[in-house]
């Protein structure tokens, strides 16, 4: 059974105690896995024993997880800065989705580690020295901290997605506001030009020499007056 677990590359992180050995399967991020068979042999471990070697290997995996989590934290901060600056490129949306998948992978890899360290701390196997259990307790604390951090990052990523959608909506609202103001300004101008564009002979000022210049002046005054009004209302 141990040999079958060793050759299985899709093995879930786990721990199994046998009479003469302890088997562990751990995942090293990303997509790397190694298995440990802890047996009572005469290997040279520089006097610290095979149980300390087990701790050192697990601690190495956990330390590598820290580096990955720190990298994800930096990515989240960069995306937050971009969104606060108002950048709404399509690449940001894909980066958020990719980061969300990465956090989920790390979270799924970290969660089983608790199930591994807990049995070691409670193990009565002669292969684990009681004096070295505090090493595994320290690793367990690190795992809990990483698990909490990934949960926080997960919530932050959802917040980034909401922020991205809000930014897109705000920019769309700004565009719609400008278009509405432009349409509003041209309503009275279009109305005036529509009246003087009809084919009637008896229209006041139609045959006056300066009617065209007067009409343009009135339209310009209306345009400037409405701009002033909109800015005073802080709509622009």
């Amino acid at each position: 059974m141990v040999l079958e677990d060793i050759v299985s590359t899709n093995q879930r992180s786990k721990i199994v105690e046998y009479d003469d050995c302890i088997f562990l399967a751990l995942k090293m991020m990303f997509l790397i896995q190694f298995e440990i068979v802890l047996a009572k042999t005469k290997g040279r471990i520089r006097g610290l024993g095979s149980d300390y070697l087990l701790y050192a290997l697990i601690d190495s995996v956990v330390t590598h997880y820290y580096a990955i989590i720190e990298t994800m934290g930096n990515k989240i901060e960069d995306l937050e800065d971009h969104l606060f600056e108002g950048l709404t490129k399509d690449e940001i949306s894909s980066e958020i989705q990719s980061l969300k998948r990465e956090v989920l992978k790390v979270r799924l890899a970290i969660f089983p580690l608790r199930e591994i360290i807990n049995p070691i701390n409670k193990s009565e196997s002669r292969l684990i020295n009681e004096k070295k259990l505090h090493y595994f307790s320290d690793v367990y604390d690190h795992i809990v901290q990483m698990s909490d951090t990934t949960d926080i990052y997960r919530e932050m990523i959802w917040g980034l997605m909401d922020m991205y959608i809000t930014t897109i909506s705000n920019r769309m609202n700004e565009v719609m506001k400008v278009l509405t103001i432009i349409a509003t300004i041209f309503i009275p101008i279009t109305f005036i030009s529509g009246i003087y564009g009809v084919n009637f002979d008896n229209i006041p000022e139609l045959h006056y020499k300066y009617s065209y210049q007067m009409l343009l002046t009135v339209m310009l005054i209306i345009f400037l007056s409405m701009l002033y009004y909109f800015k005073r209302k802080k709509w622009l």
Side-chain angles (χ1 to χ4, degrees), residues 64-113:
H64 186 67
Y65 277 48
Y66 265 116
I68 295 172
I69 291 175
E70 183 179 357
T71 300
M72 290 191 302
N74 293 333
K75 289 182 180 179
I76 292 175
E77 291 179 0
D78 292 339
L79 289 175
E80 280 185 339
D81 293 339
H82 291 160
L83 290 175
F84 277 125
E85 293 171 359
L87 299 179
T88 55
K89 297 181 180 179
D90 294 337
E91 292 80 2
I92 293 182
S93 176
S94 60
E95 288 178 8
I96 293 175
Q97 294 294 338
S98 176
L99 189 56
K100 184 170 66 173
R101 290 192 294 268
E102 289 182 14
V103 171
L104 181 60
K105 281 184 180 180
V106 174
R107 188 171 182 272
L108 292 177
I110 291 176
F111 185 78
L113 293 179

Side-chain angles (χ1 to χ4, degrees), residues 3 8 11 15 21 63 68 76 80 91 107 110 127 129 138 143 146 168 185 194 201 206 208 210-211 213:
L3 293 177
S8 176
Q11 181 64 255
I15 178 172
C21 69
T63 301
I68 295 172
I76 292 175
E80 280 185 339
E91 292 80 2
R107 188 171 182 272
I110 291 176
L127 300 173
N129 191 326
D138 183 64
I143 294 172
M146 289 190 302
I168 292 292
I185 290 175
D201 290 333
L206 184 62
Y208 183 64
Y210 300 104
S211 295
Q213 290 83 351

